[in-house]
Amino acid sequence: MDVGVGHYSDPTGIEGLAHFLEHMLFYASEKYPEEDSFDKYTSQHGGGTNALTGSDHTNYHFVANADCFEEALDRFSQFFVKPLMSSDAVKREIEAVDSEFQKNFLSDSWRIGQLQSHLSMEAHPYHKFGTGNRQTLGVQPKAKGIDIRQELIKFYEENYSANLMRLVVYGKGSLDKIQNLVVQKFNAISNNKQSCFQISGHPCLGEHLQVLVKAVPICDDHMLQVQWPVPRSIHHYKEAPCSYLSHLIGHEGEGSLFHALKILGWATSLSAYESFADSNTSFFNVVIEMTDAGHEHMQDIVGLLFKYIDILHQSGICQWIYDEIAAVRETMFHNQDKISPMSYVVSIASNMKWYPPKDWLVKSILPSNYNPGIIRAVLEKLSSRNFRIFWVSKNFEGETNMVEPWYATAYCIDKLTDSTIQEWVQHAPCEHLRLPVANQFIATDLSLKKTDKVMYPVLLRKTSFSTLWYKPDTVFSVPKATVHLKFNCPYACNSPHAELLARIFKRLVCDYLNEYAYYAELAGLYYGICQTDDGFELEVSGYNHKLRVLLDTVLKAMADFTVKPERFSVIKEKLTKNYQNFKFDEPRFHASYFRSLILNDHSWPWEEDLEILETLQPKDLSQLAPTMLSRAFLECYIAGNMERDEAESIVHHIEDIFFNGSHPICKPALQSQLMTSRLITLDEGVSYIYSTEGLNPNDENSALLHYIQIHQDDITMNVQLQLLAFIARHEAFHQLRTVEQLGYVCLLTHRYDLGVHGLQFTVQSAVKCPKYIDTRVQSFLKSFESKLFEMSEAEFKSHLNALIESKLEKDKNLWEESERHWEEITDRTFLFDRIETEVAALRKLTKQELIAFFHEHVRIGAPKRKVLSVRVYGSKHSSDFEVDKNEAVEPNTVRIDDIFSFRASQPLYGSHRRGYERMEVHSNSK
């Protein structure tokens, strides 16, 4: 349900009211008065709920298993008929909104976004602060004698009118049945014929344009954003003027603006896009992530940007470029992958008001009306008289004279003139900027190949060099394929030094290929290289027609790798900043890092990595690269619109590149070298505590990670844990977040690490310290024990069947299916029928067995309970940290003071990975 009102409609002085109402609406309704019962119902029936508040709309959505959809829809409809907002719930949920604000307070994207809003017309709603916090929703209204609950109800009654609502329902029934359900359940929504929110005037007038805004970020990065206010292109969605311009200005091929900046060593990324301001106005944005050298050449970068815009003027609007964009989009539309139902309905509902009904499903995807005049009109707006520049860098600390009021971002403003920009253009270097060439990667053969029906991947080939798994697509019928390659390279991961150089190697390969592979990406063909604990993974996916061309080029770049010192320096600088900026991540991510550092025997501290990284030179990589690939074993999985012979040909070619010839790059990895990371085994009946101060002294937020280690991969225990987590997830969220308001982030997740399963609570809070939150998690587990014991057989069966329904949901696309199978291959578990096997085990599971599992492994005081609590203390709780650190621990509790001494003292789980020795190769005759 998309309601045509957002935070632009917030009353003056009650910032965040629309967002607050979004939080409150799902609490309860007159027909279903139990608090949080809708989230509970959807959660127990294989689904979930969410909502988002935009500037001019608010979107509410849910997903649930098909067999309970009618009741879920009825519950959903009641929030728009007669919601209940109790005084107690209102008081509590203010804390949740404030916690959300605190979570984002040190996020540069939120801070710069609000600064851009702040530096606009105060009378225009773009200027507003939309999130809200305790001050705007609690303290200030109370001081003015305003009843915030009454304001919520008033806002709802005035704005939540049927004529401003757009509903999308996606179900398994016939359209007639779904339509009857909608009429039956939603016809009681009142229609007060509220007019649409109208905006007059522009967000930015002369005083807000031709300015250079210098701002100080949290992270140590240099960012340049140039904005031009332009007419909103959704009113010309068939002509797509901003799509055409962003395609050219954001291009990364040879001759592009980004290519020039990259050669000069000034930029590491560039994007060009349109962003919403109001119903008539957008901003056309160019965002450039700069290197240290680029920061010193900001004027030259802006000069080159305007030079490229001049080239667009001189070249005119090119129909062949427009037609190429349209052709690629049309192919993508007709071969699009199915996405999750929730994402699908949100996408449609959010855009319905902008399009006629015939284009509700198509939206702006298919530009079809070439109109150079409309494109030129937007291009004319990208001028040196109609812009503003945001230059973001830590280098401006101490040089600013203003502070944005909501996020306290320090900034200053310099006025620029048209002549200043022209001067920058004249002094910018003479790079060979030009328009892109025709895209040779566009697929023209979209035929589907005839292959045998295979339910699971089959092992086609195994040698001392590699294995090949293969599964043709007989389900999705799309002209697409995927190739997964895992390079098990023992010398790429046997020390922090080798791992860091391998990371630079991976990034340099991608860096060298960028101009070439960008064309492939535009045409729907993608590749990615990621680092693993035992080497690298390469994936190439997309339209199968020219997939082999891209794959061969990537493999050749890896095989023929040489170090370019100037690119090494840029990549090293970027990687160093990533490590340095890690301390500015949210505390929950730090808690997760410490958990991995404590439990994974193959992990190193980020500070040590950073220390080593700063010493690395190009010659180090030149020396290691040949060694890194000198021993390898490859695992390959090929799936999709690809014949068996093609798959085998690809692997033969890979072996020829790396293993064959007079001077092979690789030799087969020795069996003894194919080591695997293993997990530390926690002792049964013991609770371990690791407490630490937050890495960012300016972050008030704290985090608790309460991890319960349970078992190695085992089907029976897997499903017991899955069902337990399925039942407990909503209960934990309701108690810890909704009732106790411990923090905006309150998660219960099923973890799977290196073959070991566990249960994990994650809570981030600026309200309570981690030790206190830990006691509340334990208290929750005690109360949940009672609920589990008191659960009726009917409730148990309902949960069980909902989990089974969720598991039996079909893969939506080739990528989902492939990822599932690839995980079995890389984990060496090879249980391709895992879903069917686990469903069969679930059907046999009894309530008594689930309770016994809980009592043995999870219950407070359980004999086999193994717990690690990671407590990260934010600056607001520094005194609590001192108390926690010096406090005597309880019996059967161990405080971890030295992570590496602890790791050395603990046994490891055995590897769960199977070998290929006894596996048979699938033959054609079978």
Side-chain angles (χ1 to χ4, degrees):
M1 176 72 86
D2 201 77
V3 186
V5 62
H7 78 255
Y8 278 6
S9 300
D10 285 345
T12 303
I14 315 181
E15 293 83 0
L17 188 67
H19 180 221
F20 187 27
L21 177 58
E22 174 235 293
H23 274 240
M24 288 302 307
L25 200 71
F26 276 170
Y27 255 74
S29 64
E30 195 171 282
K31 184 174 180 181
Y32 300 100
E34 183 189 346
E35 189 178 282
D36 225 9
S37 61
F38 181 56
D39 188 59
K40 180 178 182 180
Y41 184 84
T42 55
S43 177
Q44 289 176 349
H45 291 88
T49 69
N50 211 338
L52 59 93
T53 305
S55 51
D56 66 341
H57 72 118
T58 307
N59 195 292
Y60 301 88
H61 39 279
F62 79 92
V63 65
N65 288 341
D67 61 349
C68 67
F69 191 65
E70 184 171 344
E71 182 176 338
L73 197 63
D74 189 55
R75 289 171 175 270
F76 181 73
S77 68
Q78 292 305 304
F79 297 123
F80 307 99
V81 177
K82 285 194 175 176
L84 291 182
M85 294 179 244
S86 70
S87 298
D88 181 56
V90 167
K91 186 177 177 183
R92 278 183 279 121
E93 199 60 25
I94 287 174
E95 297 306 314
V97 173
D98 189 68
S99 182
E100 184 177 354
F101 169 71
Q102 294 296 337
K103 179 181 79 71
N104 299 327
F105 186 74
L106 297 180
S107 163
D108 282 328
S109 60
W110 282 91
R111 294 165 73 85
I112 301 305
Q114 190 60 47
L115 177 60
Q116 290 169 350
S117 294
H118 178 65
L119 298 177
S120 65
M121 284 291 293
E122 199 166 333
H124 193 282
Y126 179 72
H127 183 83
K128 291 188 175 185
F129 164 59
T131 302
N133 57 25
R134 189 185 292 114
Q135 284 293 317
T136 67
L137 298 170
V139 176
Q140 288 169 195
K142 188 175 181 180
K144 296 174 184 174
I146 294 172
D147 184 331
I148 196 67
R149 179 173 174 271
Q150 289 305 315
E151 288 295 326
L152 277 173
I153 294 168
K154 179 184 173 187
F155 189 87
Y156 174 87
E157 290 176 345
E158 288 180 356
N159 295 289
Y160 276 52
S161 172
N163 69 303
L164 296 183
M165 296 181 182
R166 290 163 181 84
L167 179 69
V168 180
V169 182
Y170 185 39
K172 288 181 91 171
S174 68
L175 286 177
D176 286 344
K177 182 181 178 184
I178 294 172
Q179 184 172 331
N180 288 336
L181 275 177
V182 169
V183 171
Q184 174 192 333
K185 299 185 184 304
F186 291 85
N187 66 353
I189 297 175
S190 64
N191 182 1
N192 59 22
K193 298 182 179 173
Q194 175 72 16
S195 58
C196 289
F197 182 66
Q198 297 296 323
I199 299 172
S200 59
H202 287 275
C204 295
L205 297 182
E207 65 191 278
H208 307 108
L209 298 173
Q210 290 188 304
V211 293
L212 173 63
V213 181
K214 297 175 184 175
V216 180
I218 299 298
C219 290
D220 186 12
D221 293 313
H222 308 298
M223 188 273 288
L224 189 68
Q225 182 167 359
V226 184
Q227 284 189 332
W228 296 266
V230 298
R232 193 167 179 202
S233 65
I234 205 156
H235 300 299
H236 297 288
Y237 67 94
K238 293 290 187 186
E239 293 81 10
C242 284
S243 291
Y244 176 91
L245 294 171
S246 60
H247 170 78
L248 294 175
I249 297 172
H251 209 281
E252 297 182 19
E254 287 189 13
S256 67
L257 172 62
F258 177 66
H259 181 239
L261 296 175
K262 181 184 159 186
I263 288 173
L264 291 163
W266 292 351
T268 54
S269 72
L270 183 150
S271 58
Y273 59 91
E274 180 187 15
S275 62
F276 171 89
D278 62 38
S279 55
N280 298 309
T281 308
S282 288
F283 288 105
F284 190 89
N285 303 271
V286 176
V287 178
I288 301 168
E289 192 174 347
M290 300 182 294
T291 61
D292 290 345
H295 177 76
E296 300 301 319
H297 287 273
M298 182 279 295
Q299 295 178 6
D300 291 325
I301 292 173
V302 174
L304 280 168
L305 169 58
F306 277 98
K307 266 190 179 181
Y308 194 82
I309 292 169
D310 284 343
I311 288 172
L312 299 186
H313 281 288
Q314 294 160 21
S315 304
I317 310 304
C318 301
Q319 183 163 2
W320 77 265
I321 293 177
Y322 185 91
D323 290 345
E324 184 178 271
I325 295 168
V328 169
R329 295 271 196 92
E330 186 170 5
T331 299
M332 287 184 173
F333 178 76
H334 291 298
N335 296 282
Q336 63 185 296
D337 299 309
K338 187 176 280 191
I339 60 173
S340 76
M342 196 139 85
S343 300
Y344 188 58
V345 296
V346 170
S347 167
I348 297 169
S350 300
N351 287 286
M352 282 166 73
K353 72 176 177 181
W354 301 113
Y355 303 98
K358 67 184 177 68
D359 285 332
W360 279 348
L361 303 186
V362 179
K363 304 186 287 294
S364 301
I365 296 170
L366 298 177
S368 57
N369 184 17
Y370 173 66
N371 188 323
I374 287 175
I375 299 173
R376 194 177 296 112
V378 177
L379 179 59
E380 293 290 342
K381 294 287 184 182
L382 308 189
S383 77
S384 54
R385 298 175 299 281
N386 181 51
F387 71 95
R388 53 190 198 158
I389 299 173
F390 290 85
W391 187 9
V392 182
S393 173
K394 284 269 198 187
N395 291 13
F396 299 134
E397 284 181 333
E399 298 179 13
T400 59
N401 58 0
M402 286 177 271
V403 176
E404 188 278 320
W406 298 110
Y407 290 86
T409 303
Y411 71 98
C412 62
I413 301 175
D414 294 335
K415 196 71 178 168
L416 299 174
T417 63
D418 185 24
S419 59
T420 306
I421 298 299
Q422 296 312 316
E423 197 176 309
W424 292 359
V425 171
Q426 288 167 15
H427 286 95
C430 296
E431 295 302 311
H432 298 294
L433 300 173
R434 57 173 170 79
L435 297 183
V437 297
N439 193 337
Q440 301 302 312
F441 275 105
I442 295 173
T444 53
D445 180 1
L446 301 172
S447 60
L448 298 181
K449 302 185 177 180
K450 292 180 181 178
T451 54
D452 295 334
K453 187 157 188 175
V454 177
M455 198 167 178
Y456 303 116
V458 292
L459 182 63
L460 285 191
R461 195 166 182 274
K462 65 172 181 175
T463 67
S464 59
F465 308 125
S466 68
T467 57
L468 168 60
W469 293 90
Y470 168 66
K471 185 187 180 298
D473 171 29
T474 55
V475 178
F476 306 105
S477 300
V478 288
K480 299 176 182 180
T482 181
V483 176
H484 288 266
L485 264 177
K486 182 171 184 183
F487 288 77
N488 295 281
C489 301
Y491 297 132
C493 51
N494 57 2
S495 70
H497 183 268
E499 202 168 73
L500 283 165
L501 287 170
R503 190 163 293 155
I504 295 174
F505 166 82
K506 178 209 86 165
R507 290 184 175 218
L508 279 172
V509 169
C510 296
D511 183 76
Y512 298 168
L513 288 169
N514 189 66
E515 290 77 20
Y516 176 84
Y518 185 75
Y519 281 98
E521 185 180 324
L522 290 176
L525 197 51
Y526 310 94
Y527 87 97
I529 306 172
C530 69
Q531 205 168 5
T532 65
D533 282 349
D534 41 16
F536 307 95
E537 284 184 19
L538 166 65
E539 179 186 355
V540 182
S541 301
Y543 298 109
N544 58 276
H545 181 205
K546 298 182 180 179
L547 183 148
R548 179 75 182 265
V549 178
L550 178 61
L551 173 64
D552 288 354
T553 306
V554 176
L555 292 170
K556 193 170 187 308
M558 293 175 71
D560 297 344
F561 178 82
T562 56
V563 180
K564 299 175 184 176
E566 72 283 359
R567 297 312 299 163
F568 180 96
S569 299
V570 170
I571 297 299
K572 177 185 168 182
E573 179 190 306
K574 175 64 179 166
L575 192 55
T576 301
K577 285 186 176 179
N578 287 352
Y579 273 98
Q580 291 169 338
N581 288 332
F582 173 66
K583 61 180 175 286
F584 301 120
D585 280 355
E586 292 177 41
R588 59 187 166 130
F589 300 126
H590 297 152
S592 182
Y593 155 77
F594 284 119
R595 182 210 62 235
S596 295
L597 191 64
I598 290 166
L599 294 177
N600 189 338
D601 77 318
H602 191 83
S603 58
W604 296 283
W606 71 277
E607 303 98 326
E608 288 184 14
D609 279 349
L610 181 58
E611 186 179 324
I612 294 167
L613 179 58
E614 288 170 345
T615 68
L616 296 180
Q617 299 300 322
K619 62 179 174 56
D620 297 316
L621 183 54
S622 294
Q623 291 167 1
L624 182 74
T627 307
M628 195 165 57
L629 292 171
S630 64
R631 291 282 183 181
F633 180 74
L634 274 56
E635 291 172 279
C636 184
Y637 173 53
I638 297 177
N641 193 36
M642 189 94 62
E643 292 171 347
R644 176 187 175 126
D645 290 348
E646 290 178 275
E648 291 184 312
S649 167
I650 285 172
V651 174
H652 277 296
H653 183 61
I654 293 168
E655 288 189 358
D656 284 344
I657 291 174
F658 289 98
F659 294 98
N660 298 329
S662 54
H663 300 288
I665 297 164
C666 302
K667 290 182 180 178
L670 302 173
Q671 196 63 34
S672 61
Q673 292 178 312
L674 296 175
M675 305 296 286
T676 180
S677 298
R678 292 160 64 191
L679 212 67
I680 298 294
T681 305
L682 300 177
D683 293 339
E684 292 181 353
V686 179
S687 294
Y688 298 89
I689 297 170
Y690 179 73
S691 300
T692 182
E693 288 185 290
L695 299 177
N696 180 4
N698 297 317
D699 196 339
E700 294 185 353
N701 291 285
S702 294
L704 168 78
L705 189 151
H706 183 100
Y707 167 77
I708 306 170
Q709 190 180 77
I710 300 179
H711 69 281
Q712 275 195 295
D713 202 33
D714 170 89
I715 291 295
T716 301
M717 295 184 77
N718 289 357
V719 298
Q720 291 172 336
L721 178 58
Q722 288 166 17
L723 183 58
L724 186 67
F726 185 81
I727 296 170
R729 190 173 291 120
H730 167 77
E731 299 288 346
F733 182 85
H734 175 72
Q735 182 61 36
L736 303 176
R737 159 77 144 72
T738 307
V739 176
E740 299 189 34
Q741 288 294 337
L742 295 177
Y744 180 72
V745 177
C746 293
L747 304 171
L748 171 59
T749 51
H750 170 193
R751 281 208 64 84
Y752 178 68
D753 303 280
L754 303 175
V756 178
H757 294 259
L759 203 59
Q760 179 174 296
F761 293 83
T762 306
V763 181
Q764 184 169 292
S765 177
V767 181
K768 297 291 184 181
C769 78
K771 185 187 175 187
Y772 174 81
I773 297 169
D774 212 352
T775 65
R776 301 314 303 153
V777 168
Q778 294 172 55
S779 177
F780 164 76
L781 286 171
K782 288 175 183 174
S783 65
F784 180 72
E785 181 182 358
S786 303
K787 289 183 180 178
L788 197 61
F789 189 77
E790 293 162 7
M791 184 189 299
S792 68
E793 282 295 331
E795 284 180 294
F796 173 79
K797 283 292 182 190
S798 174
H799 288 302
L800 187 71
N801 291 334
L803 179 57
I804 289 171
E805 279 291 308
S806 298
K807 281 186 163 294
L808 292 177
E809 184 180 336
K810 294 176 182 175
D811 293 312
K812 286 175 244 353
N813 51 57
L814 176 65
W815 324 123
E816 276 191 15
E817 181 191 76
S818 298
E819 284 301 321
R820 193 162 50 79
H821 291 150
W822 180 235
E823 189 175 346
E824 295 290 343
I825 293 166
T826 54
D827 284 352
R828 297 275 190 95
T829 43
F830 308 126
L831 286 175
F832 300 117
D833 62 346
R834 182 180 293 272
I835 289 174
E836 294 82 355
T837 307
E838 289 186 344
V839 165
L842 277 170
R843 294 193 196 280
K844 296 176 185 174
L845 185 61
T846 66
K847 177 188 164 187
Q848 288 68 32
E849 287 171 332
L850 183 65
I851 290 172
F853 176 83
F854 178 85
H855 277 201
E856 190 171 6
H857 298 283
V858 181
R859 177 179 60 89
I860 302 298
K864 293 189 176 181
R865 190 170 192 265
K866 302 184 287 185
V867 177
L868 170 64
S869 286
V870 178
R871 302 170 178 175
V872 177
Y873 285 80
S875 59
K876 198 173 182 180
H877 305 123
S878 53
S879 58
D880 297 297
F881 170 68
E882 293 302 323
V883 173
D884 185 5
K885 187 174 66 172
N886 297 308
E887 205 168 50
V889 295
E890 297 177 3
N892 298 320
T893 302
V894 174
R895 186 184 302 283
I896 300 172
D897 295 314
D898 183 313
I899 289 175
F900 298 100
S901 296
F902 170 74
R903 267 176 30 177
S905 70
Q906 292 296 115
L908 300 171
Y909 277 100
S911 175
H912 66 293
R913 291 158 61 89
R914 291 166 56 192
Y916 283 98
E917 295 78 15
R918 298 185 181 181
M919 301 191 73
E920 290 187 13
V921 172
H922 185 274
S923 68
N924 271 317
S925 59
K926 289 187 180 179

